[in-house]
Amino acid sequence: MAEVLVFAEHTGGEVKKVTCELLTLARRIGEPAAVWTGPDAEAGRERLAEFGAARVYVAGGAEFDEYVTGPKAELLAALVAEKSPAAVLVAGTPEGKEIAARLAVKTGSGVLTDAVDLTGELVAEQSIFGGSIVVQSKVRAGTPIVAVRPNAVTPAPDTQAAPGAAELVPVDVPVSDAARGARITERVMQERGERPELTEASIVVSGGRGVGGAESFALIEQLADSLGAAVGASRAATDAGWYPHQFQVGQTGKTVAPQLYVAVGISGAIQHRAGMQTSKTIMVINKDPEAPIFELADFGVVGDLFKVVPQLVEQIGQHQA
Amino acid sequence: MNIVVCVKQVPDTAVERTLRPGDATLDRESVDGLINELDEYAIEEALRIAEAHGGEVTILTMGPQKAADSIRKALSMGCDKAVHLLDDGLAGSDALQTSYALAQVITRTGFDLVILGSESTDARTGLLAAMLAERLGVPQLSLASKVEIDAPAIRIHRQADYGYDKVEAALPAVVSVVEKINEPRYPSFKGIMAAKKKPVETLSLADAGIDPAQVGLAAAATEVVSWAQRPPRQAGTIVKDEGDGGVKAAEYLATQKFI
Ligand SMILES: Cc1cc2nc3c(=O)[nH]c(=O)nc-3n(C[C@H](O)[C@H](O)[C@H](O)COP(=O)(O)OP(=O)(O)OC[C@H]3O[C@@H](n4cnc5c(N)ncnc54)[C@H](O)[C@@H]3O)c2cc1C
Ligand SMILES: Nc1ncnc2c1ncn2[C@@H]1O[C@H](COP(=O)(O)O)[C@@H](O)[C@H]1O
């Protein structure tokens, strides 16, 4: 059975959920093999095995995290040449797509971005134009490279996982000078508390202009924290400086597709919808019954967010107590 | 400094966009074309760099005849000249081919800096900057929320989920920008008048030395097998807050097992 390379993402050895999602899809196509960069592969091994990775190609060098995407793409290109995999799957994050982009040029392969599903025959489902059209597409040149949108598929452990799976296979790919062009000199972590990452969270709570100011975003954060959710914002809120720009959801911000999206004080402009329309369940809190966001709502409350949200937070607290 | 800004004309996102029944390519004719929004930020950044460090800003657009309007607008913002890659053979190109075609032109014109938007509103692939960096063999400084030039060094803040990375490279380089980076200027009346006289070079595939077998729909590395309008979402339950809106919302979350 042909291998399917899955580029594993991890923080300090902890395998990210999106990687488990990719492994789940990879099992439909062939035999999943994870590709790991940096140290701590031993720590991630068990989880990779659980989701069906037969082996893990490990490039342990520190340089993979020191430069922007070049070394990672080079590693994948070397593995593609050596293993002739059926496909390469990466997370559909901005960085994942960039790795895919470079790999595509190196190997002369087609890339499908923002896939929300993938068949065993490598037909990907994508939603385009802000989610209004669904297309099925495939790669017809080179080794198919597919960037899969986080949260699009439910990660399922491999019930047939063999004992001793996820064997660690060290690979030694020297990083060329060309791949060392853009050096990361510092990573600046901005306050996010313990919240999950926006594009990976199963629940996202977003606030818009209706929230009215930076201080009242605390209300959105409280609701998010009561649900274990990430916080998002509309452009009206980020432009006003109420919430940092990297949390903007929409056409010029992040695209999210969580299990639950809660839009608070957001009107639902087409550019905002473009970033959240494919969420599985959508809840809306808005005082204007005519707000277009209600067209997307599975459940909506017409009311003042300053009354509804605190009550909701309290109710969730009681429910969980 | 010789700065090339890649500018794409895209359909207005405020209007419904669709695919053509025949070849499943974007119907660009029926919708007004605008400069891809993030490319306005790329233009603004290029102009600021040229103002601070001296140099020339060249717009590079690959697109149909209609894209000439967007090129004029970019010139009216203050760019010096433009190259319009225009050839029917390019229609239906995907990201891999577009990056090849753009790289061919950029190699011919020469550059110290290439600036792109980080994503287009129609394709939304976000692939082009990384592909161009790879093809041109220069550093990739993508997702920049800040650019600082101290030639030959160039430093950016690269946007990340957790905040940002500080990234450093040596020119020449490819940069892509995110919206946070600046506030694009509006063309002035003087700028609009001046733009009419600025040079726009129109290149065919042959002019640019692009192999026709490597571009266009027939050669694309990806293909659309089928497509359909997304079925509208089922109408949901909307309640009016009568003092119990939060309670009802919590009940809904409980029935859906979110809490
Ligand atoms: C090219 C382009 C790109 C764009 N990209 C993005 C993008 O990426 N993301 C994005 O979000 N936008 C984007 N926009 C902007 C978009 O068009 C809207 O302007 C923006 O989404 C509006 O944000 P909002 O819904 O928070 O504000 P508004 O439209 O002002 O809506 C505020 C809502 O809050 C409600 N409200 C007010 N007070 C209360 C209260 N006390 N209780 C309950 N509800 C209340 C109001 O009824 C209203 O519906 C873009 C626009 C353009 C032109
Ligand atoms: N046809 C084109 N002509 C010029 N620039 C383009 C073209 N297509 C894409 N770009 C550039 O590539 C960026 C990213 O686009 P994309 O990768 O399609 O999301 C855009 O913001 C433009 O700067």
Side-chain angles (χ1 to χ4, degrees):
Chain A
M1 195 164 32
E3 273 187 336
V4 180
L5 296 182
V6 168
F7 188 74
E9 292 197 11
H10 61 97
T11 27
E14 192 185 328
V15 176
K16 288 200 186 175
K17 181 164 144 247
V18 66
T19 300
C20 303
E21 294 165 7
L22 297 181
L23 288 168
T24 304
L25 287 177
R27 298 206 304 268
R28 297 180 184 168
I29 303 156
E31 186 180 65
V35 180
W36 187 281
T37 56
D40 305 320
E42 192 55 55
R45 179 175 176 189
E46 193 182 330
R47 191 131 180 93
L48 296 172
E50 182 188 348
F51 286 88
R55 64 195 66 77
V56 187
Y57 297 115
V58 182
E63 63 272 32
F64 289 97
D65 277 331
E66 274 169 34
Y67 302 93
V68 176
T69 63
K72 290 174 178 167
E74 232 170 51
L75 169 67
L76 285 172
L79 286 168
V80 166
E82 196 183 310
K83 313 287 176 195
S84 307
V88 180
L89 308 189
V90 301
T93 54
E95 164 142 337
K97 291 197 272 187
E98 291 180 345
I99 295 168
R102 301 191 73 127
L103 178 63
V105 171
K106 284 177 190 294
T107 58
S109 305
V111 193
L112 298 171
T113 51
D114 288 319
V116 293
D117 203 359
L118 188 61
T119 70
E121 288 70 47
L122 284 160
V123 175
E125 182 173 312
Q126 300 162 294
S127 70
I128 60 168
F129 303 156
S132 60
I133 291 182
V134 181
V135 306
Q136 318 288 329
S137 31
K138 62 182 189 198
V139 169
R140 59 181 186 195
T143 303
I145 305 169
V146 186
V148 182
R149 188 175 282 179
N151 273 313
V153 287
T154 311
D158 184 7
T159 49
Q160 284 141 41
E167 179 199 352
L168 301 185
V169 183
V171 289
D172 188 19
V173 176
V175 176
S176 75
D177 283 345
R180 297 173 192 257
R183 195 166 67 87
I184 298 166
T185 54
E186 189 184 340
R187 290 185 193 273
V188 181
M189 309 284 166
Q190 285 170 332
E191 266 311 319
R192 182 165 56 86
E194 294 299 297
R195 292 189 194 102
E197 278 177 22
L198 183 54
T199 49
E200 295 198 1
S202 329
I203 304 181
V204 174
V205 179
S206 287
R209 199 193 311 272
V211 176
E215 304 79 50
S216 17
F217 249 84
L219 211 53
I220 302 298
E221 294 188 328
Q222 281 162 22
L223 179 54
D225 291 343
S226 72
L227 292 164
V231 175
S234 74
R235 175 152 151 189
T238 57
D239 271 359
W242 301 344
Y243 219 67
H245 177 264
Q246 71 261 31
F247 298 101
Q248 181 175 313
V249 171
Q251 181 178 301
T252 40
K254 299 273 160 65
T255 300
V256 299
Q259 300 295 322
L260 172 67
Y261 187 85
V262 186
V264 183
I266 292 176
S267 65
I270 189 158
Q271 296 90 354
H272 186 78
R273 290 173 177 220
M276 46 68 72
Q277 183 137 262
T278 56
S279 304
K280 305 259 170 7
T281 301
I282 296 174
M283 179 183 262
V284 169
I285 300 170
N286 193 305
K287 68 179 181 189
D288 174 12
E290 303 296 320
I293 190 86
F294 279 114
E295 292 162 19
L296 301 180
D298 295 290
F299 188 86
V301 180
V302 179
D304 183 352
L305 71 93
F306 294 99
K307 299 209 176 82
V308 177
V309 173
Q311 188 179 57
L312 176 55
V313 172
E314 186 201 309
Q315 289 288 316
I316 293 170
Q318 280 181 17
H319 197 95
Q320 280 160 349
Chain B
M1 182 128 30
N2 185 357
I3 309 172
V4 177
V5 186
C6 295
V7 174
K8 185 180 192 182
Q9 188 183 54
V10 295
D12 188 348
T13 53
V15 184
E16 194 178 326
R17 294 160 291 173
T18 188
L19 295 174
R20 289 198 300 208
D23 57 7
T25 58
L26 174 58
D27 183 354
R28 292 183 190 275
E29 291 311 311
S30 62
V31 187
D32 274 349
L34 303 175
I35 292 182
N36 178 43
E37 204 211 5
L38 282 171
D39 299 354
E40 293 192 15
Y41 294 78
I43 294 168
E44 177 65 34
E45 199 59 25
L47 293 172
R48 290 186 190 188
I49 292 170
E51 282 157 10
H53 301 274
E56 207 175 39
V57 180
T58 307
I59 298 300
L60 169 56
T61 294
M62 160 178 150
Q65 186 58 51
K66 202 173 154 182
D69 301 341
S70 298
I71 292 177
R72 274 305 153 202
K73 164 137 197 240
L75 290 173
S76 68
M77 288 172 73
C79 302
D80 299 290
K81 57 190 174 61
V83 177
H84 186 176
L85 181 60
L86 168 67
D87 197 302
D88 290 345
L90 289 161
S93 294
D94 65 7
L96 192 63
Q97 301 166 305
T98 302
S99 67
Y100 159 67
L102 294 177
Q104 288 297 102
V105 179
I106 294 168
T107 309
R108 278 176 81 255
T109 52
F111 67 99
D112 298 301
L113 197 55
V114 180
I115 310 185
L116 298 87
S118 49
E119 198 173 76
S120 62
T121 56
D122 55 352
R124 291 209 80 179
T125 69
L127 296 174
L128 255 295
M131 283 184 168
L132 270 185
E134 178 70 35
R135 289 196 187 274
L136 298 170
V138 301
Q140 172 197 328
L141 299 171
S142 46
L143 306 171
S145 57
K146 184 177 172 189
V147 179
E148 224 176 62
I149 296 197
D150 179 9
I154 170 166
R155 296 182 195 89
I156 66 153
H157 287 182
R158 170 176 164 83
Q159 183 170 289
D161 272 332
Y162 46 79
Y164 61 91
D165 292 342
K166 293 186 179 175
V167 181
E168 189 176 271
L171 294 168
V174 170
V175 166
S176 80
V177 302
V178 299
E179 185 195 328
K180 191 185 170 184
I181 193 162
N182 58 39
E183 199 50 61
R185 66 192 69 185
Y186 288 102
S188 65
F189 178 71
K190 218 175 110 207
I192 293 169
M193 297 314 287
K196 298 193 166 129
K197 294 190 215 80
K198 288 181 177 169
V200 179
E201 187 186 8
T202 303
L203 299 180
S204 66
L205 292 181
D207 296 335
I210 293 167
D211 175 4
Q214 286 193 53
V215 292
L217 188 63
T222 52
E223 96 185 286
V224 171
V225 187
S226 62
W227 64 276
Q229 295 281 347
R230 173 181 297 277
R233 289 184 87 97
Q234 281 197 322
T237 309
I238 312 293
V239 299
K240 194 165 178 310
D241 178 29
E242 311 275 7
D244 59 351
V247 175
K248 288 195 168 138
E251 278 166 8
Y252 176 78
L253 293 179
T255 58
Q256 299 297 310
K257 308 227 178 331
F258 287 115
I259 55 174

